Amino acid sequence: MFIGHFGAGFAGKKFSKSVSLGTYFMAAQWVDLIWPILLLLGIEKAEIKPGISAVTPLDFSYYPFSHSLFGVIVWSVLFAAAYFLFRKKLRNALILGALVISHWFLDLLVHIPDLPIFPGYNLKVGLGIWNSLAATLIVEGLIFAGGVYLYFQTTKAKNKTGLYSFIGLILFLILMYISNLVGPPPPSIEAIGIVGNAQWLIILWGYWIDRNRERYDKQKTN
Ligand SMILES: [Zn+2]
């Protein structure tokens, strides 16, 4: 799953407006941000096997530290604790922790059974929506659209940048998603690792959008 996680990040604003969109993106996509690093370090493994599912040519053969349920829970606790340490806002920390865990459950929907429960155990799960391109587009598209809608409802642009940076990111994410689906398989695992690390730019984009938008309260009374 790709844009669905960003949909979850966008939805975060509905729950607390005092967290930056960039931080929400980081939480929702956290385990996919550390995965490319672990991949490049050779700690986790993936193979390119075109046809393994209708959606991705990647066989996520070994990624217990970033993508086991247990691993994601540990990351969630660490992420929430780090946020709490710096910002001292417990509610926000809990929302961010929940977003880190949301990644695993969203992946669970689409992945073929390759998600480990616990490092060192062979049990792997995945509901396999990736076996159908159409079902993947519908499910992930709805999650993304739902998140963007919630975000759009709770914020408004302060200036033109606040509008164009937001629309630009949505178009960029959709374009990346489509080119991943229709493009040729990646040339190597290293290439996947490098492109994966470039996702930090999307996080920065989230901070940039956030600085140029403000909270929008419908029932504002003077
Ligand atoms: Zn993932």
Side-chain angles (χ1 to χ4, degrees), residues 5 31-32 67 103 107 111:
H5 297 303
V31 302
D32 274 4
H67 275 75
H103 187 107
D107 273 359
H111 279 234

Side-chain angles (χ1 to χ4, degrees), residues 100-166:
V100 174
I101 294 183
S102 81
H103 187 107
W104 193 85
F105 286 93
L106 290 177
D107 273 359
L108 178 69
L109 290 176
V110 294
H111 279 234
I112 55 174
D114 60 27
L115 289 161
I117 299 287
F118 199 86
Y121 284 84
N122 250 339
L123 178 63
K124 291 179 178 179
V125 292
L127 299 176
I129 294 179
W130 272 350
N131 287 317
S132 159
L133 181 60
T136 301
L137 286 172
I138 293 168
V139 170
E140 196 163 355
L142 282 175
I143 295 168
F144 181 67
V148 168
Y149 174 73
L150 288 179
Y151 178 79
F152 189 67
Q153 252 195 342
T154 44
T155 66
K156 64 175 186 198
K158 277 189 215 171
N159 49 41
K160 278 195 177 141
T161 310
L163 177 65
Y164 297 133
S165 59
F166 172 53

Side-chain angles (χ1 to χ4, degrees), residues 39-97:
L39 204 58
L40 287 176
L41 291 173
I43 294 168
E44 295 198 331
K45 304 248 180 308
E47 285 155 60
I48 299 164
K49 287 186 188 164
I52 189 164
S53 76
V55 171
T56 175
L58 285 185
D59 178 2
F60 300 94
S61 48
Y62 184 73
Y63 60 168
F65 306 108
S66 67
H67 275 75
S68 69
L69 177 58
F70 178 79
V72 172
I73 291 171
V74 171
W75 285 118
S76 153
V77 170
L78 291 175
F79 197 103
Y83 181 87
F84 185 73
L85 207 69
F86 286 104
R87 295 290 156 93
K88 307 279 183 282
K89 284 185 180 156
L90 181 63
R91 187 170 175 274
N92 288 351
L94 294 175
I95 293 169
L96 290 167

Side-chain angles (χ1 to χ4, degrees), residues 21-22 25 164-173 199-211:
L21 182 62
F25 282 169
Y164 297 133
S165 59
F166 172 53
I167 292 174
L169 178 61
I170 291 167
L171 294 177
F172 175 77
L173 289 173
Q199 283 190 93
W200 287 99
L201 295 172
I202 305 175
I203 308 300
L204 292 179
W205 200 333
Y207 283 106
W208 181 46
I209 294 174
D210 205 87
R211 278 162 176 255

